[in-house]
Amino acid sequence: MDGYDEFMASRGPALLRAAYLICGDRDLAEDLFQNAMARLLVHWPRVSGGAPEAYARRILVNSTINWRQRLRAREVSVAAVPDSAGADFTAAHAERDEMWQALARLPRRQRAVLVLRYYEDLTESQTAALLGCSLGTVKSQHSKALASLRRPASPGTPKPIDMATTTG
């Protein structure tokens, strides 16, 4: 299709990165990205003249949020967690892991707002348009998310997360 290949070459990596940052799992991000781009291709003739990247991001965010809802309904508890083998490399990645855990505890809308604002570097207006909500909603979700990240998760948690220094 006219322009689709060029669009994918130029914006595909950024969209894949956004999928990864929203869901936190590389394999799942690739699946969500592929499904979203297939849906974009179907609608390409209609959206290519307008804002295809905004449309693609919208598909990606919605499919990621919908996937999380479906997963929650299918989770199954197990009696015992199997031991895992391998080297202990968590010390080198402790701060990053702590940030991901804190983000994972946030409600999906708050997490999406932080990812779009800090990792995708979108403005509040762009984030509101992408999520299909008002500017005030983005601001309030942003504020609530940062307040949640600043609060320790439990009494033993050593320090709050600072989003300004942990992007990357």
Side-chain angles (χ1 to χ4, degrees):
M1 297 227 168
D2 277 346
Y4 183 79
D5 292 334
E6 292 83 16
F7 173 79
M8 288 303 296
S10 65
R11 300 309 307 152
L15 292 167
L16 177 58
R17 187 183 88 192
Y20 171 70
L21 292 171
I22 292 171
C23 73
D25 179 272
R26 189 172 312 275
D27 294 329
L28 176 61
E30 289 173 356
D31 289 344
L32 292 169
F33 170 76
Q34 187 175 26
N35 290 335
M37 294 309 103
R39 289 178 56 199
L40 175 65
L41 181 60
V42 170
H43 299 285
W44 185 253
R46 183 172 50 96
V47 299
S48 63
E53 184 170 359
Y55 190 82
R57 284 185 190 277
R58 181 69 178 252
I59 293 171
L60 196 58
V61 168
N62 287 344
S63 62
T64 303
I65 290 171
N66 291 339
W67 171 84
R68 291 183 71 76
Q69 289 171 339
R70 285 190 307 272
L71 177 67
R72 197 172 296 123
R74 293 186 313 206
E75 289 180 354
V76 178
S77 297
V78 294
V81 178
D83 292 335
S84 60
D88 183 19
F89 60 91
T90 57
H93 301 286
E95 187 173 322
R96 186 176 183 155
D97 290 343
E98 184 180 338
M99 179 199 56
W100 280 116
Q101 290 170 8
L103 282 173
R105 286 190 298 267
L106 293 175
R108 66 183 186 276
R109 177 74 53 131
Q110 290 179 13
R111 180 177 178 163
V113 166
L114 289 184
V115 167
L116 294 172
R117 292 283 290 128
Y118 287 98
Y119 287 95
E120 292 299 309
D121 201 25
L122 297 181
T123 65
E124 289 173 333
S125 299
Q126 291 169 325
T127 301
L130 183 62
L131 294 175
C133 62
S134 70
L135 184 59
T137 299
V138 168
K139 289 180 179 183
S140 69
Q141 293 296 301
H142 181 261
S143 176
K144 289 176 184 177
L146 291 181
S148 293
L149 292 177
R150 288 183 185 113
R151 278 193 307 272
S154 64
T157 304
K159 62 179 180 164
I161 301 294
D162 181 4
M163 287 298 294
T165 62
T166 58
T167 58

